[in-house]
Amino acid sequence: AIFFLADKDLHDKLKNKKEAMKHEYPDIVQKFVLYMGAGMTIRNSFQKIALDYERESKENGIFRPAYEELLYACRELQSGVSEGVVYEHFGRRIGLQEYVRLGTLLQQNVKKGNAAIIDRLRDEAEKALEERMQSSRRLGEEAATKLLFPMVMMLLVVMLLIMVPAFS
């Protein structure tokens, strides 16, 4: 039983990490849109996002899994791996559809060049924000469902407090 419970704990940690990465995705894409709209290249935007996170994590001690992957990819860039390969590895390492799509978008832009990359990133940012809102609604509904049982128990206690003096 301990073996299976330890494995369950590992799966829960992995699930929480994936959820955190999904939650961070709109922020990352918005930063790409902001920096690229300001005239930075993809590579510079990538490095700026990663280095800002690194500085912030050292100051505040926070840990964000998606930004850690960005930092890892940034280090790959600095070690001489080509940009297209780094972006592809970034998407595949995370394994979530959103990040694979972002990595492919960045990789295609490096290979072929695309003047409309900012527009495509804006569309991606809007879609990501919409998905985050739907996810938040879903989590709110799940929380309401989880709170239903304690609310019923409290109702029974209140009814008991009212009924006992009434009958005595």
Side-chain angles (χ1 to χ4, degrees):
I2 293 173
F3 176 74
F4 290 114
L5 290 177
D7 196 37
K8 184 185 180 320
D9 185 45
L10 185 62
H11 285 291
D12 289 342
K13 286 181 183 178
L14 185 63
K15 181 182 174 190
N16 290 341
K17 181 180 176 182
K18 296 282 185 187
E19 287 296 322
M21 286 181 171
K22 276 187 178 183
H23 187 72
E24 295 165 0
Y25 180 70
D27 294 333
I28 291 172
V29 176
Q30 284 287 354
K31 288 179 182 179
F32 267 113
V33 170
L34 178 70
Y35 292 143
M36 291 181 68
M40 293 178 86
T41 64
I42 292 176
R43 183 183 187 124
N44 290 343
S45 301
F46 208 82
Q47 290 176 338
K48 173 92 170 122
I49 294 169
L51 295 177
D52 286 347
Y53 164 72
E54 186 177 30
R55 184 175 16 88
E56 183 182 342
S57 69
K58 283 181 182 176
E59 290 174 2
N60 302 332
I62 58 173
F63 177 78
R64 295 180 175 170
Y67 285 94
E68 289 291 329
E69 291 295 333
L70 266 170
L71 198 56
Y72 184 81
C74 184
R75 289 186 181 129
E76 275 186 332
L77 278 171
Q78 291 171 352
S79 69
V81 180
S82 71
E83 275 187 76
V85 173
V86 168
Y87 300 143
E88 181 182 358
H89 287 172
F90 169 71
R92 285 189 182 168
R93 240 189 344 267
I94 292 179
L96 295 174
Q97 181 183 6
E98 297 92 352
Y99 289 98
V100 172
R101 198 169 45 233
L102 178 64
T104 303
L105 183 66
L106 296 175
Q107 181 187 20
Q108 285 176 353
N109 187 55
V110 168
K111 283 183 179 177
K112 299 177 184 175
N114 189 356
I117 184 71
I118 296 174
D119 294 332
R120 291 181 72 190
L121 281 172
R122 280 189 185 125
D123 293 341
E124 186 69 26
E126 288 174 13
K127 188 191 312 185
L129 194 58
E130 217 170 282
E131 287 177 15
R132 180 194 266 182
M133 288 173 45
Q134 288 176 356
S135 174
S136 297
R137 282 191 199 112
R138 182 179 43 81
L139 289 174
E141 291 169 359
E142 288 176 7
T145 304
K146 288 179 182 177
L147 289 175
L148 188 61
F149 181 72
M151 287 174 34
V152 169
M153 294 300 290
M154 288 174 48
L155 176 67
L156 291 175
V157 169
V158 169
M159 287 181 69
L160 202 74
L161 287 173
I162 293 172
M163 297 301 256
V164 168
F167 282 120
S168 63

